[in-house]
Amino acid sequence: TFTAWCNSHLRKAGTQIENIEEDFRDGLKLMLLLEVISGERLAKPERGKMRVHKISNVNKALDFIASKGVKLVSIGAEEIVDGNVKMTLGMIWTIILRFAIQDISVEETSAKEGLLLWCQRKTAPYKNVNIQNFHISWKDGLGFCALIHRHRPELIDYGKLRKDDPLTNLNTAFDVAEKYLDIPKMLDAEDIVGTARPDEKAIMTYVSSFYHAFSGAQKAETAANRICKVLAVNQENEQLMEDYEKLASDLLEWIRRTIPWLENRAPENTMQAMQQKLEDFRDYRRLHKPPKVQEKCQLEINFNTLQTKLRLSNRPAFMPSEGKMVSDINNAWGGLEQAEKGYEEWLLNEIRRLERLDHLAEKFRQKASIHESWTDGKEAMLQQKDYETATLSEIKALLKKHEAFESDLAAHQDRVEQIAAIAQELNELDYYDSPSVNARCQKICDQWDNLGALTQKRREALERTEKLLETIDQLYLEYAKRAAPFNNWMEGAMEDLQDTFIVHTIEEIQGLTTAHEQFKATLPDADKERQAILGIHNEVSKIVQTYHVNMAGTNPYTTITPHEINGKWDHVRQLVPRRDQALMEEHARQQQNERLRKQFGAQANIIGPWIQTKMEEIGRISIEMHGTLEDQLNHLRQYEKSIVNYKPKIDQLEGDHQLIQEALIFDNKHTNYTMEHIRVGWEQLLTTIARTINEVENQILTRDAKGISQEQMNEFRASFNHFDRDHSGTLGPEEFKACLISLGYDIGNDAQGEAEFARIMSIVDPNRLGVVTFQAFIDFMSRETADTDTADQVMASFKILAGDKNYITVDELRRELPPDQAEYCIARMAPYTGRDAVPGALDYMSFSTALYGESDL
């Protein structure tokens, strides 16, 4: 094996050896071998045949080996000159280790381990191959065949090999290696198969020849791996950019659709329609907006993560499409919240207005109906000509009756004015059915004017006739005069007892209750007046019966009969307990409203401070150092989980708030917190914890990508926190300069130091805001020593894959790169136009430059 290995190199110098211990005794071929394998010139050899000349040559060879850092233990020139087989073979093995194996390193392992690891990786995909050492793992020959097939699959049909035919496998590998790879046969297949444990040094020597033969392919693989890594970063970044654009477009479209709906202040005509609008707004706040708040927060997090990845991979910053910057999203969101502001208040005010309108409209209809009922037939009565054929007593009775009617008419003047005032108020409040109200009011007023004119005309007629008439029964007149106001009082009492009311507080309902109790206190006196009026009627009946007056049992001065008075009085007495019941029910409703206010206030006074406390705790966590970044991240995620678990309390408060609104409660003296305060605070809390987690994730991403140790991260955080005395999360210029000095930066007060500090500030504060964030500080500290991919490195890798050509072909890309990344390059590389171009040549140089510059890649 050693002889074959030596001849594989000496052949390049035009010579060979047959016997190691004999052919190396004069030192000449030994020196020549070292010159070939090292590429260096040794000292001039001695050409004499004497022993001293031979020892001198061998010593020159041994000195050269020693100069390469190799310790030669117990090997002297005399033993080599004397042909000591053991010493000569030991020297050759030392040369092989130094010049064929020592430079082999895979993942910073030792030479032997590195060569073994290389073999294991290359043969891993092959069945029946399990390389664990440099002796028995190679006995069946499949390991050698797998190495050849992995790099040159056209040389061996691996699928036809059998594990139970080691001689064929070994000879196949040895023959192919010698014929096509220029690797001489250093081993004998029969010896390997017939030996329980093949010689480890021989196997290592032979395998190292394969390593060096395939070193070019190894370089190509390394170059391909680098390119794949760079392209994978670009593909991932492009996907993140597409995701950002779509999410931004969807969110902006939702905002565009929602704002006109929130800005629409067109009132509805009915309470039901306005309450439906209020319910739709509640659904928007409770169901539709919260997911959009999360999308907006996630959009900012994705943008920050993408910019961090681009910065870490030396790519230009991502510039979203016009109108889709994070600031554009925030501006649009601000417009949404501006449109939202006041919408709920407007809805509630409209509901109050409609409630007031419904109340006034009902009151108008009641009073109008009562008045119209009273005026029914009055015009016909006033137009009668009964006085023309009446007796004197009848005329006087008609005159008195007319006077009573005028009294009654005057008593109704107030109701007509009330009807007109209510109609005017409905007009001012823009009542939807104002035309019909106005028409009815106008009809009442016109009729009232006509009644006044007819009344005046009839009085004039009666007064003309009065001179012809004499007697009038004063008792009837007294009855009429007392019955008319009492009847009017009863009608007013019935109207008041049936009057609808609307209150919003316990104090208001208590006021109505007090007024009702005062009314009930007047009932005994009213009953006395009723008994007195009925007594007058009874006295009239007695006079009629006594004097046989032909009155036919009726009062000529009024139409109000005792039966009517008693009927209305009974009705008043029935309405009193109904009014009692209505007031009692309203009092109970107001007590329930007060319980709702207290219930909401108690919860809001707990939740509001809790949200503020959590915001402050998050602020402290974001600047403290406890454990590794992963520990901080886990702590924050646990914190986020505890916050999310608090959501049911917010939902419960929303439910209480909905009950309050459904009860039309408009104020709450038990708390300063409104539902809007709680919603905004809750949304800010969720956004803040998500952003804080994202900041720590970006720090981890920066640390891992830049190779920063946890100790360095702790040192950076400690220095930053030390100078961030106001716990704002940022440093001013002077604080930042002091922080840099504490980390060992030499920034003096001279011109050179100021210039250096100005350069650093332009990096960490490109927008000249006058503050340095912790993320910018970490990016700067990591960038100072980080080893990142560059355009030149990627270009050099492509050059290796292209076999040192200035262009690369489609076949070469598909052979060296995974399919998806090969097609990625083919689709984006421009045609190569150099003088040495061939058909289909692609320009990998401009492509590599574009990966790190402003381009559409």
Side-chain angles (χ1 to χ4, degrees), residues 9 21 117 180 237 274 288 300 302 322 406 571 624 659 743 752 786 793 816:
H9 293 285
E21 61 270 24
L117 180 57
Y180 296 103
N237 290 341
M274 287 304 299
H288 303 307
E300 295 180 8
N302 291 352
E322 183 176 357
E406 287 182 324
H571 192 202
E624 291 176 352
L659 292 177
L743 291 171
Q752 182 178 354
Q793 290 173 328
E816 300 294 345

Side-chain angles (χ1 to χ4, degrees), residues 569-818:
W569 177 256
D570 291 341
H571 192 202
V572 169
R573 296 298 300 269
Q574 292 171 2
L575 290 175
V576 169
R578 296 180 189 175
R579 184 74 169 184
D580 288 336
Q581 180 65 25
L583 291 172
M584 183 172 61
E585 290 175 355
E586 181 61 25
H587 191 273
R589 190 175 77 87
Q590 290 301 325
Q591 286 181 322
Q592 173 62 17
N593 289 352
E594 186 65 11
R595 283 194 293 272
L596 290 175
R597 290 187 182 97
K598 290 181 179 180
Q599 179 176 326
F600 178 86
Q603 289 300 314
N605 290 336
I606 294 173
I607 293 175
W610 181 88
I611 291 176
Q612 182 62 33
T613 300
K614 293 302 177 184
M615 289 288 288
E616 295 171 356
E617 290 176 357
I618 292 172
R620 287 197 298 271
I621 293 173
S622 66
I623 63 173
E624 291 176 352
M625 288 189 307
H626 295 297
T628 64
L629 288 175
E630 284 76 10
D631 294 337
Q632 295 177 36
L633 185 60
N634 289 334
H635 186 194
L636 284 170
R637 284 177 174 160
Q638 290 297 321
Y639 211 78
E640 181 184 39
K641 184 177 180 181
S642 70
I643 289 174
V644 172
N645 289 340
Y646 201 75
K647 182 64 164 58
K649 294 185 181 295
I650 304 295
D651 295 338
Q652 180 182 352
L653 192 66
E654 283 281 9
D656 294 343
H657 177 64
Q658 182 165 345
L659 292 177
I660 283 178
Q661 288 194 333
E662 290 172 352
L664 298 178
I665 299 172
F666 303 112
D667 57 357
N668 193 342
K669 65 183 179 181
H670 302 293
T671 181
N672 292 325
Y673 292 99
T674 67
M675 196 63 230
E676 183 64 24
H677 291 152
I678 299 297
R679 289 170 184 154
V680 172
W682 178 250
E683 291 171 0
Q684 289 177 345
L685 180 61
L686 292 178
T687 300
T688 300
I689 187 64
R691 285 175 176 164
T692 304
I693 288 174
N694 180 243
E695 288 175 1
V696 176
E697 290 174 337
N698 281 341
Q699 291 175 27
I700 292 174
L701 186 63
T702 301
R703 182 198 65 190
D704 295 342
K706 299 299 185 178
I708 302 174
S709 67
Q710 185 61 46
E711 291 73 17
Q712 286 176 305
M713 289 296 291
N714 290 341
E715 181 183 0
F716 293 158
R717 172 53 85 178
S719 297
F720 190 89
N721 287 352
H722 176 75
F723 293 99
D724 181 19
R725 293 185 173 88
D726 60 353
H727 305 298
S728 65
T730 61
L731 298 179
E734 293 304 318
E735 293 173 331
F736 179 55
K737 180 184 286 188
C739 181
L740 290 177
I741 293 173
S742 73
L743 291 171
Y745 277 75
D746 184 11
I747 303 176
N749 292 323
D750 54 7
Q752 182 178 354
E754 291 298 328
E756 173 62 11
F757 183 65
R759 180 190 71 83
I760 295 174
M761 282 299 294
S762 69
I763 296 174
V764 297
D765 183 22
N767 296 323
R768 299 182 180 179
L769 301 177
V771 293
V772 180
T773 65
F774 183 66
Q775 184 62 44
F777 172 67
I778 289 298
D779 289 344
F780 169 74
M781 296 304 297
S782 61
R783 191 183 303 137
E784 290 295 286
T785 56
D787 178 22
T788 59
D789 291 316
T790 65
D792 290 339
Q793 290 173 328
V794 174
M795 202 179 302
S797 298
F798 272 118
K799 193 174 185 67
I800 292 173
L801 298 187
D804 285 337
K805 298 191 302 294
N806 292 325
Y807 59 85
I808 194 166
T809 66
V810 172
D811 291 339
E812 288 170 337
L813 286 171
R814 287 175 173 158
R815 183 177 69 243
E816 300 294 345
L817 298 179

Side-chain angles (χ1 to χ4, degrees), residues 806-807 830-838 841-843:
N806 292 325
Y807 59 85
Y832 178 70
T833 58
R835 293 182 177 179
D836 53 342
V838 299
L842 298 176
D843 185 355

Side-chain angles (χ1 to χ4, degrees), residues 185-335:
K185 289 185 180 180
M186 302 182 188
L187 305 173
D188 183 85
E190 285 75 9
D191 289 343
I192 293 176
V193 174
T195 305
R197 180 187 171 99
D199 183 79
E200 185 176 49
K201 293 179 180 179
I203 297 292
M204 279 184 66
T205 301
Y206 190 53
V207 171
S208 69
S209 298
F210 281 87
Y211 178 86
H212 291 293
F214 296 134
S215 60
Q218 183 68 23
K219 291 180 181 178
E221 181 178 350
T222 301
N225 288 338
R226 178 183 291 275
I227 291 170
C228 289
K229 175 185 174 184
V230 171
L231 295 180
V233 169
N234 264 56
Q235 290 173 307
E236 180 183 1
N237 290 341
E238 286 179 4
Q239 186 60 48
L240 289 175
M241 293 175 192
E242 291 178 8
D243 293 344
Y244 175 90
E245 290 281 342
K246 183 178 186 308
L247 187 57
S249 297
D250 292 346
L251 185 57
L252 286 170
E253 175 61 20
W254 178 81
I255 293 173
R256 185 191 64 77
R257 293 196 313 269
T258 304
I259 286 179
W261 173 67
L262 292 172
E263 290 178 339
N264 181 15
R265 297 294 196 272
E268 299 291 343
N269 292 330
T270 65
M271 279 280 288
Q272 181 179 6
M274 287 304 299
Q275 286 174 338
Q276 183 59 50
K277 276 194 172 185
L278 180 61
E279 187 62 32
D280 292 342
F281 180 74
R282 288 171 181 156
D283 287 342
Y284 159 79
R285 289 306 307 264
R286 185 173 60 250
L287 303 176
H288 303 307
K289 186 182 178 185
K292 299 303 178 182
V293 173
Q294 294 298 319
E295 287 182 16
K296 175 176 174 292
C297 179
Q298 189 62 44
L299 190 71
E300 295 180 8
I301 290 174
N302 291 352
F303 183 84
N304 292 334
T305 301
L306 174 59
Q307 298 293 36
T308 299
K309 289 186 175 182
L310 290 172
R311 187 169 57 252
L312 294 177
S313 57
N314 277 348
R315 269 55 165 194
F318 169 55
M319 182 62 66
S321 301
E322 183 176 357
K324 295 179 184 176
M325 292 287 291
V326 172
S327 59
D328 296 323
I329 303 298
N330 288 333
N331 290 337
W333 191 265

Side-chain angles (χ1 to χ4, degrees), residues 377-391:
K378 294 294 189 294
E379 290 176 310
M381 180 197 72
L382 291 172
Q383 291 174 335
Q384 288 180 9
K385 303 294 184 179
D386 51 351
Y387 55 83
E388 294 179 350
T389 57
T391 63

Side-chain angles (χ1 to χ4, degrees), residues 370-371 373-375 378 408 412 415 479 483-495 497-498 519 523 526-527 530 533-534 558-578:
I370 292 173
H371 178 78
S373 176
W374 178 82
T375 60
K378 294 294 189 294
D408 198 8
H412 282 78
R415 180 178 290 114
Y479 173 90
F486 184 70
N487 180 69
N488 191 58
W489 175 86
M490 286 192 297
E491 288 181 347
M494 288 188 292
E495 183 177 345
L497 288 171
Q498 296 178 87
F519 167 77
L523 290 178
D527 190 43
R530 180 182 68 86
I533 293 172
L534 293 177
T558 181
T559 60
I560 303 173
T561 66
H563 177 73
E564 185 177 353
I565 290 175
N566 284 331
K568 289 183 179 180
W569 177 256
D570 291 341
H571 192 202
V572 169
R573 296 298 300 269
Q574 292 171 2
L575 290 175
V576 169
R578 296 180 189 175

Side-chain angles (χ1 to χ4, degrees), residues 1-2 5 93 96-104 110-119 131 133-136 138 144 147 183 186-187 192 197-212:
T1 300
F2 288 177
W5 183 85
W93 174 242
I96 292 172
L97 280 177
R98 173 58 185 84
F99 294 101
I101 297 176
Q102 182 172 317
D103 290 337
I104 299 173
S110 68
K112 180 180 178 181
E113 292 172 347
L115 184 59
L116 184 62
L117 180 57
W118 178 81
C119 295
I131 305 301
N133 49 56
F134 284 111
H135 38 79
I136 60 175
W138 303 85
F144 295 111
L147 281 179
I183 299 175
M186 302 182 188
L187 305 173
I192 293 176
R197 180 187 171 99
D199 183 79
E200 185 176 49
K201 293 179 180 179
I203 297 292
M204 279 184 66
T205 301
Y206 190 53
V207 171
S208 69
S209 298
F210 281 87
Y211 178 86
H212 291 293

Side-chain angles (χ1 to χ4, degrees), residues 19 101 141 157 160 270 319 443 456 522 547 556 569 609 793 825:
N19 186 289
I101 297 176
D157 188 354
K160 292 183 178 181
T270 65
M319 182 62 66
K443 182 178 180 181
Q456 181 65 24
T522 66
Y547 297 100
W569 177 256
Q793 290 173 328
C825 293

